[in-house]
Amino acid sequence: MNILLIGPQGSGKGTQGELLSQSLQIPHISSGDLLREEMTKHTPRARKLKTLVNNGKLVPDVLIEDMVLDRLGKVDCRKGFILEGFPRTIAQAEWLGDARTIRAVIELRLSTRDALRRIFLRKQCVSCGHTFGPGAVAYKKGSCDHCGGKLEKRADDTPAAVKKRLALYHEKTEPLIAYYRKQKVLLSFDGAQEIQGLFGKIANALKKIN
Ligand SMILES: [Zn+2]
């Protein structure tokens, strides 16, 4: 089953994505991770990306789409995937809809107040970029589950910057939510719930689809 995960920073997309990936046995793919991975490669595309990102430029749709399509074409995606961080625009959603049939779009709603509270508490791995909330074992240990890297507070998580990112998210994403609601694939959940309870609700809703 091809699934999308949509939600503001702090809504628990990463955590729910990992839980779903384990239970459905399909990969959890984050466009942010894809981008970071790509930048470590030595290909013409990676070089182009590095130049753009290092100069603070926006990465054009076609580069992102190329990268996403490559990833979705890998053998582990044959039974489906959980994609997070893409699409971000209606144009990208239409493009993705042509390339793959999306069966479910999971929206995690979170108020700006709750998102701010969670973001200020979380820490990020300095080497692989994964983030952890205070509930995670890795958070207490101070080292990353995935690569053993050190966890630190993100330097760009200042109140003003976070508020700006959240506002941008709502502005960009609202139309996407409406788009998928119209296609009758949207499943919307309150992201402020406790992790396992929320996961149970998502898993139940997905069962009804198959
Ligand atoms: Zn790490």
Side-chain angles (χ1 to χ4, degrees), residues 5 12-20 28 84 131-133 195 199:
L5 253 177
K13 288 187 307 267
T15 307
Q16 295 299 329
E18 288 300 321
L19 289 172
L20 281 171
H28 167 223
E84 173 199 329
T131 54
F132 300 91
I195 291 172
F199 173 64

Side-chain angles (χ1 to χ4, degrees), residues 55-118:
N55 289 309
K57 296 257 167 64
L58 219 61
V59 181
D61 275 9
V62 56
L63 263 185
I64 305 270
E65 288 167 4
D66 210 37
M67 213 173 62
V68 168
L69 202 59
D70 263 8
R71 182 63 189 87
L72 300 186
K74 294 239 168 86
V75 63
D76 62 340
C77 291
R78 251 192 328 212
K79 285 186 183 162
F81 54 81
I82 302 151
L83 181 59
E84 173 199 329
F86 184 93
R88 297 206 172 175
T89 63
I90 299 285
Q92 286 177 344
E94 284 171 344
W95 172 87
L96 181 64
D98 286 340
R100 293 289 185 283
T101 305
I102 303 301
R103 296 290 307 280
V105 176
I106 297 165
E107 178 200 14
L108 300 180
R109 302 183 313 267
L110 196 67
S111 70
T112 298
R113 217 179 105 220
D114 283 346
L116 280 168
R117 192 174 47 81
R118 285 191 180 176

Side-chain angles (χ1 to χ4, degrees), residues 166-186:
L166 287 172
L168 194 70
Y169 165 82
H170 286 292
E171 185 194 313
K172 293 261 180 200
T173 316
E174 267 4 26
L176 266 186
I177 299 293
Y179 174 83
Y180 285 120
R181 185 176 287 124
K182 225 168 158 181
Q183 298 204 344
K184 305 202 190 313
V185 289
L186 188 74

Side-chain angles (χ1 to χ4, degrees), residues 125-130 132 144-149:
C125 170
V126 291
S127 23
C128 78
H130 264 92
F132 300 91
C144 177
D145 276 349
H146 304 276
C147 73

Side-chain angles (χ1 to χ4, degrees), residues 7-8 33 40 50-51 53 70 87 90 124 130 133 141 153 203 210:
D33 287 350
T40 65
K50 260 179 269 187
T51 313
V53 171
D70 263 8
I90 299 285
Q124 184 177 39
H130 264 92
K141 276 196 316 197
K153 275 196 74 79
N210 258 340

